[in-house]
Amino acid sequence: MLIFHLFLKNNQVLGIGSGSTIVHAVQRLAERVKQENLTIVCIPTSFQARQLILQNGLTLSDLDRNPELDVAIDGADEVDCDLNLIKGGGGCLTQEKIVAGYAKCFIVIADYRKKSESLGEQWKRGIPIEVIPMAYVPVTRTLTKNFGGAAELRMAVSKAGPVVTDNGNFILDWKFDKVHKWSEVNTAIKMIPGVVETGLFIDMAEVVYFGMEDGSVSVREKQPR
């Protein structure tokens, strides 16, 4: 996988994201670590990522021991032309943002269906917002009052009741009805009492690699300001 030749070096601390795309990346990472006898320490973004690291024989660590990461690698639900992301379809947005935020370089791997010009073009399930359980009703009302659209409590599929995150919280999926100034909206939503974090990743990704339908890779890089 191209990204590991470009970004991965010996003695690095690496953030490992969640989701189906990352499974293949971690398998390739483990192969290279073994072949080249590299010393790599991995920080997971979720219980799933933690299991993936252990299953592939990689060294597991945490932010207590490694508070600064060299590179974080994760997927995305959608990427716009400015490299703004929607993440959290799998429910791990808060820990994903923490790990990405403490990395010197944040790299995204996604398939071609996640590539768009504007957020909402491809991803129709809304922006995930992690909330404290006792506040989900007033947060829902405030979201729709202030920003329009509709917010729904995400319900579990294989059990009764709502989805519960690794942090013990609920997730609202906010289906917006217009294009916003995402940086401003992200900040405003985070100021609502009861909101833990949003699935808007603004100005965080350095580069996005899209796996195309024909097997090629399309690269979208952060533009200098």
Side-chain angles (χ1 to χ4, degrees):
M1 191 172 281
L2 177 65
I3 60 165
F4 293 126
H5 292 285
L6 294 175
F7 295 97
L8 187 64
K9 298 180 179 69
N10 196 24
N11 296 313
Q12 280 189 326
V13 180
L14 196 63
I16 300 295
S18 311
S20 56
T21 312
I22 298 302
V23 173
H24 305 292
V26 173
Q27 289 169 349
R28 180 67 189 95
L29 169 64
E31 287 172 12
R32 190 170 166 204
V33 166
K34 189 173 181 180
Q35 288 166 1
E36 301 177 33
N37 197 29
L38 300 176
T39 300
I40 299 293
V41 172
C42 297
I43 312 293
T45 61
S46 65
F47 181 80
Q48 180 220 15
R50 181 182 183 277
Q51 297 305 103
L52 201 56
I53 290 165
L54 293 172
Q55 286 164 7
N56 283 275
L58 295 164
T59 302
L60 177 71
S61 189
D62 52 44
L63 290 174
D64 292 345
R65 287 172 284 185
N66 299 96
E68 188 177 275
L69 293 78
D70 296 292
V71 182
I73 300 171
D74 209 340
D77 297 312
E78 188 171 31
V79 183
D80 75 5
C81 61
D82 295 318
L83 265 60
N84 295 318
L85 317 175
I86 294 178
K87 288 178 54 54
C92 306
L93 57 146
T94 298
Q95 291 180 195
E96 288 172 345
K97 192 175 280 190
I98 290 168
V99 169
Y102 289 110
K104 295 174 187 172
C105 180
F106 178 39
I107 301 164
V108 174
I109 308 168
D111 72 50
Y112 66 96
R113 292 169 294 184
K114 312 298 175 65
K115 187 177 185 179
S116 69
E117 290 302 305
S118 301
L119 296 183
E121 207 174 276
Q122 302 284 357
W123 181 254
K124 305 297 185 183
R125 301 183 199 172
I127 294 168
I129 299 168
E130 185 162 345
V131 298
I132 300 295
M134 69 173 285
Y136 87 89
V137 172
V139 170
T140 300
R141 290 165 61 91
T142 304
L143 271 173
T144 53
K145 178 185 173 186
N146 292 356
F147 307 108
E152 298 174 355
L153 180 64
R154 188 183 297 182
M155 303 305 289
V157 175
S158 299
K159 77 170 190 71
V163 167
V164 177
T165 70
D166 285 0
N167 310 308
N169 297 317
F170 292 169
I171 290 181
L172 297 175
D173 290 303
W174 173 48
K175 297 178 181 177
F176 52 93
D177 54 6
K178 64 178 181 178
V179 175
H180 294 267
K181 292 183 179 178
W182 293 118
S183 180
E184 294 176 10
V185 167
N186 181 53
T187 301
I189 291 174
K190 287 172 70 171
M191 294 299 292
I192 299 171
V195 170
V196 176
E197 190 51 89
T198 81
L200 285 166
F201 283 53
I202 308 298
D203 198 28
M204 294 183 72
E206 293 289 328
V207 59
V208 182
Y209 292 90
F210 295 101
M212 305 307 288
E213 203 168 7
D214 63 2
S216 65
V217 176
S218 170
V219 183
R220 187 178 275 181
E221 295 186 79
K222 190 176 186 177
Q223 296 303 310
R225 296 188 181 281

